[in-house]
Amino acid sequence: MIWNIPSYTMTGTSHIADKKPGQDYIKVSLNPDNGTAIVVVTDGVGSARLAYEGSRGLAKEVASQLERRGADLLGWSDGDIRLWLANVVADWLKAESARLMCVPEDLNTTLMIFLSDGDRFVAGSIGDGLVGRIGDDGFDVLLEPEHGAAVNVSYFVATSDFNSHFRIVRGRFDAASVYFAMTDGSCDCLYNYRARTYAEALDIFCEWTRKYDRKAVNKAVHDVASRLFKEVTSDDCAIALIHGREGSVR
């Protein structure tokens, strides 16, 4: 499977003003032996003291654990995946909070995953990010942002019941489609929550991903998003675009 997975992150103007680093993070891993692709996207909680460390550390840990299991996970039940991942997250929070001498809540973050072998895929999310798809047959919202009592309230790995709020979707991977995972900042720019539709810019990003290689798409998305996103939101933004076709891994 030839994978093309461009990605973009932007530090929001609110964090720039406060001289803080961006708290959205994307980790991509490709396995040349079995052709699997892994994407993990996190969004550190603004009120968490170590949100930067939490988002990056957890994304890397989850990606590493997904790499170890690989395509075998695609054959697991939703319940088994959820339980296994809940333990991965809990173990990391416990170990990392002990190392940094903090409480797990200081590392709080959302979490999205996407795993595919080019034939099947499984995706999961806890929080207010979105996983979707745009293909020849239209678009799908695969996993909607989950909000709490208010639109600015969501669910996070350290303060929410993981088994209740980590949602999973799976299916056959469509090589004609581009899948994507984006944090709430990018959703504010590219997604209409009420109509459940995407902005034209996302169609353009997906078309670029079908036609051009990762480096070219990264630059093009950066040029557009860095100019336009900050006009819509002061939040950090992250989006990973996922496309695959038959062939050798690149």
Side-chain angles (χ1 to χ4, degrees), residues 35-243:
T36 58
I38 293 165
V39 179
V40 181
V41 182
T42 51
D43 178 1
V45 179
S47 59
R49 185 169 63 87
L50 299 175
Y52 175 87
E53 291 81 357
S55 61
R56 280 155 178 73
L58 184 63
K60 292 175 181 178
E61 175 65 12
V62 169
S64 175
Q65 294 296 333
L66 288 171
E67 287 171 14
R68 293 182 184 181
R69 298 290 182 175
D72 289 347
L73 275 169
L74 295 166
W76 290 17
S77 70
D78 290 0
D80 285 343
I81 292 174
R82 188 177 292 108
L83 179 60
W84 171 77
L85 195 54
N87 288 331
V88 168
V89 170
D91 289 347
W92 182 85
L93 286 171
K94 180 179 180 181
E96 192 67 1
S97 59
R99 186 181 75 84
L100 296 176
M101 295 184 289
C102 66
V103 296
E105 289 78 6
D106 289 333
L107 300 164
N108 220 358
T109 180
T110 66
L111 173 66
M112 288 181 282
I113 67 165
F114 186 95
L115 169 68
S116 178
D117 62 359
D119 180 37
R120 301 162 293 171
F121 78 87
V122 62
S125 176
I126 180 171
D128 50 10
L130 181 149
V131 179
R133 177 191 71 88
I134 291 180
D136 293 340
D137 56 347
F139 66 86
D140 288 321
V141 180
L142 300 176
L143 290 168
E144 290 187 271
E146 186 180 20
H147 298 287
V151 71
N152 62 342
V153 176
S154 191
Y155 301 95
F156 311 107
V157 297
T159 52
S160 304
D161 179 15
F162 197 91
N163 288 323
S164 297
H165 294 287
F166 187 78
R167 296 154 293 137
I168 294 174
V169 63
R170 64 175 70 224
R172 288 292 173 185
F173 184 83
D174 176 22
S177 295
V178 175
Y179 297 80
F180 45 85
M182 55 184 174
T183 58
D184 65 325
S186 293
C187 287
D188 290 343
C189 303
L190 298 172
Y191 180 63
N192 185 313
Y193 290 90
R194 290 186 177 181
R196 299 180 79 247
T197 56
Y198 301 125
E200 183 180 358
L202 186 55
D203 278 312
I204 294 171
F205 292 170
C206 289
E207 189 61 24
W208 288 343
T209 303
R210 292 187 187 94
K211 290 183 177 180
Y212 306 113
D213 66 21
R214 179 180 59 83
K215 289 184 178 180
V217 180
N218 281 351
K219 183 180 185 306
V221 172
H222 176 274
D223 290 347
V224 173
S226 61
R227 184 177 72 254
L228 298 180
F229 281 17
K230 64 183 179 182
E231 297 178 2
V232 179
T233 180
S234 62
D235 198 5
D236 298 336
C237 297
I239 181 170
L241 300 152
I242 306 156
H243 182 250

